[in-house]
Amino acid sequence: MKLRLVLAFVSFLAFNTIHGQTFPDETWEYNIDKESKDWDYDALKVFNNYIIDSTKLTGLVIIHKGKIVFEYGDIVENSYIASCRKSILSILYGKYVEDKTIDLNKTIKQLGIDDVDGILPEEEKATVQEIISARSGVYHKEGYPGGMQQYAPERGSVKHGSYWLYSNWDFNVAGYIFEKETGKNIYDEVEVQLAKPLNMQDWDRGLQKKEGDTTISKYLAYPIWFSTRDMARIGVLMLHNGNWNGNQIISKNWVQEMIKERTNYKELNTNVPSFRDSGIDFGYGYMWWLFQNVKDKRFEGAYSARGAMGQNITVFPAIDVVLAFKTKAAYSRRNSGKVRIDILKKIPTFYTGSVHNITVK
């Protein structure tokens, strides 16, 4: 695949600018100014070779101030975004939490949630908030793979809310709760809340279908298919605290709630040994991963949606950068955890411009 490093071209009517930021309308603007001191273009060329030689990515895009500064591979094709779906669901929750349609303090028992192997008395006390924080303490088997239940304590052994574990049971139940409480279909809400307002170029409602083994758990997963460039639109929305070209699509307060620490990196690394010494310390919010324990100011305040095999949306607020990359499962292309972390570590180092002072709470 060839690097499409970018000859600045784009139609005048395709873009809108607000407060010095560009928002894509129906297409993206490309901006490579080799006289600019914001990017190390020689390093980006080396990075392009790294992608080819050392990764199995099928698409990657770097957005700076709303414009594409680097593009690799096929950023148009829709494919499975794996666990990035959870971060998308978290965005959808905001509207309904704020209008009190969804009560984050409701318990599993109050919601009438049961499952194939039953729910234990201690597990029944878990709240919606604990479920979307991966802190429910419910370790029922998941009917759709992708969690980390191999690290789960014995069922009923921990108090709800007291222990972080990345479990697809939590995330699939979060989808069920969303639909039960709102009366809305998740995919329809992706279309209404995100795809249409953000002018997603490649969204296809027909590709979206729930999956899962209901003999293990009755709660289905909600796989989502996006293109790389549409994933980047999600990142731009998050970077601007839910505002899209002057329209508040998601409230600023909810964006801040999603990326507020619910679990710090020390607990996460303790509970799941595979995260120790991975290269980046992650905390956890409402289904978003938070960069923590960072020393380089360019990484400060960063957060990610992350999915298996190498699906990713990362926002670097200190440098106005959004990164999106993915693989296509149908090609059997899987990137190791090390490669995925290496990519996240490399991107801000290519940026040589000014850095905002970010206060992380």
Side-chain angles (χ1 to χ4, degrees), residues 198-325:
L198 304 188
N199 295 309
M200 286 189 176
Q201 293 162 269
D202 309 306
W203 167 254
D204 184 345
R205 176 65 178 81
L207 292 174
Q208 322 300 328
K209 296 183 176 75
K210 295 189 178 76
E211 297 179 10
D213 185 342
T214 54
T215 66
I216 297 174
S217 172
K218 64 174 71 171
Y219 302 105
L220 296 173
Y222 38 93
I224 295 174
W225 289 46
F226 276 167
S227 68
T228 310
R229 64 184 179 181
D230 283 347
M231 291 166 72
R233 289 175 186 260
I234 297 293
V236 172
L237 178 70
M238 292 291 290
L239 175 64
H240 292 287
N241 285 304
N243 190 286
W244 189 266
N245 195 35
N247 298 314
Q248 200 67 40
I249 307 300
I250 306 297
S251 82
K252 178 179 179 179
N253 180 65
W254 183 250
V255 172
Q256 294 305 308
E257 284 294 302
M258 284 190 284
I259 60 174
K260 181 179 178 180
E261 179 192 291
R262 312 289 165 175
T263 301
N264 68 35
Y265 74 94
K266 292 179 181 178
E267 181 182 353
L268 191 150
N269 290 348
T270 298
N271 295 0
V272 180
S274 62
F275 282 109
R276 297 173 194 164
D277 302 317
S278 67
I280 294 179
D281 286 319
F282 288 107
Y284 205 70
Y286 286 160
M287 296 189 276
W288 283 86
W289 300 86
L290 317 176
F291 286 52
Q292 295 190 326
N293 194 30
V294 296
K295 296 177 176 62
D296 187 329
K297 292 295 184 182
R298 291 172 292 188
F299 291 81
E300 192 172 5
Y303 51 92
S304 292
R306 305 174 68 216
M309 298 175 288
Q311 329 301 324
N312 196 282
I313 305 167
T314 296
V315 178
F316 298 98
I319 55 176
D320 291 320
V321 167
V322 168
L323 166 70
F325 63 82

Side-chain angles (χ1 to χ4, degrees), residues 79-354:
S79 62
Y80 172 65
I81 64 170
S83 288
C84 292
R85 69 187 175 98
K86 300 156 190 176
S87 303
I88 302 300
L89 178 63
S90 182
I91 294 174
L92 302 183
Y93 256 76
K95 171 182 176 180
Y96 296 106
V97 171
E98 293 182 334
D99 71 10
K100 303 188 186 309
T101 299
I102 296 175
D103 180 354
L104 294 183
N105 294 315
K106 268 192 178 180
T107 66
I108 283 176
K109 184 173 184 178
Q110 289 172 322
L111 290 163
I113 289 173
D114 197 2
D115 212 342
V116 174
D117 291 333
I119 301 295
L120 302 178
E122 178 59 34
E123 295 173 336
E124 288 184 326
K125 300 174 186 176
T127 66
V128 178
Q129 183 180 50
E130 290 162 353
I131 288 168
I132 65 174
S133 307
R135 302 187 67 88
S136 72
V138 181
Y139 305 127
H140 188 285
K141 292 178 182 176
E142 52 195 23
Y144 188 83
M148 300 177 182
Q149 288 197 342
Q150 66 270 34
Y151 300 115
E154 183 180 348
R155 284 191 70 185
S157 66
V158 300
K159 183 180 178 180
H160 69 97
S162 68
Y163 194 92
W164 183 88
L165 186 79
Y166 190 84
S167 166
N168 267 1
W169 191 90
D170 278 355
F171 304 127
N172 297 340
V173 168
Y176 167 81
I177 292 169
F178 177 86
E179 294 192 336
K180 177 181 186 295
E181 296 296 275
T182 66
K184 307 286 186 179
N185 177 278
I186 287 172
Y187 299 131
D188 290 343
E189 284 293 290
V190 171
E191 184 163 276
V192 170
Q193 291 196 45
L194 298 173
K196 289 183 176 178
L198 304 188
N199 295 309
M200 286 189 176
Q201 293 162 269
D202 309 306
W203 167 254
D204 184 345
R205 176 65 178 81
L207 292 174
Q208 322 300 328
K209 296 183 176 75
K210 295 189 178 76
E211 297 179 10
D213 185 342
T214 54
T215 66
I216 297 174
S217 172
K218 64 174 71 171
Y219 302 105
L220 296 173
Y222 38 93
I224 295 174
W225 289 46
F226 276 167
S227 68
T228 310
R229 64 184 179 181
D230 283 347
M231 291 166 72
R233 289 175 186 260
I234 297 293
V236 172
L237 178 70
M238 292 291 290
L239 175 64
H240 292 287
N241 285 304
N243 190 286
W244 189 266
N245 195 35
N247 298 314
Q248 200 67 40
I249 307 300
I250 306 297
S251 82
K252 178 179 179 179
N253 180 65
W254 183 250
V255 172
Q256 294 305 308
E257 284 294 302
M258 284 190 284
I259 60 174
K260 181 179 178 180
E261 179 192 291
R262 312 289 165 175
T263 301
N264 68 35
Y265 74 94
K266 292 179 181 178
E267 181 182 353
L268 191 150
N269 290 348
T270 298
N271 295 0
V272 180
S274 62
F275 282 109
R276 297 173 194 164
D277 302 317
S278 67
I280 294 179
D281 286 319
F282 288 107
Y284 205 70
Y286 286 160
M287 296 189 276
W288 283 86
W289 300 86
L290 317 176
F291 286 52
Q292 295 190 326
N293 194 30
V294 296
K295 296 177 176 62
D296 187 329
K297 292 295 184 182
R298 291 172 292 188
F299 291 81
E300 192 172 5
Y303 51 92
S304 292
R306 305 174 68 216
M309 298 175 288
Q311 329 301 324
N312 196 282
I313 305 167
T314 296
V315 178
F316 298 98
I319 55 176
D320 291 320
V321 167
V322 168
L323 166 70
F325 63 82
K326 70 203 309 287
T327 60
K328 186 177 179 184
Y331 297 155
S332 299
R333 296 174 71 91
R334 177 183 292 272
N335 291 279
S336 69
K338 181 181 183 303
V339 165
R340 286 175 257 167
I341 293 295
D342 281 349
I343 294 168
L344 294 179
K345 288 167 63 178
K346 286 176 185 292
I347 299 304
T349 67
F350 304 142
Y351 178 75
T352 56
S354 60

Side-chain angles (χ1 to χ4, degrees), residues 3-10 15 22 28-45 47-48 60-72 321 350-352:
L3 166 68
R4 281 175 267 180
L5 255 176
V6 190
L7 300 173
F9 105 74
V10 156
F15 292 84
T22 298
W28 285 93
E29 183 174 358
Y30 290 80
N31 182 27
I32 287 291
D33 178 4
K34 293 188 178 180
E35 299 303 315
S36 167
K37 296 181 180 179
D38 285 344
W39 292 91
D40 182 341
Y41 292 107
D42 289 335
L44 284 172
K45 290 178 182 178
F47 178 60
N48 184 73
L60 181 146
V61 64
I62 301 173
I63 311 297
H64 181 225
K65 294 185 176 179
K67 299 180 183 181
I68 295 175
V69 297
F70 179 93
E71 175 185 350
Y72 171 86
V321 167
F350 304 142
Y351 178 75
T352 56

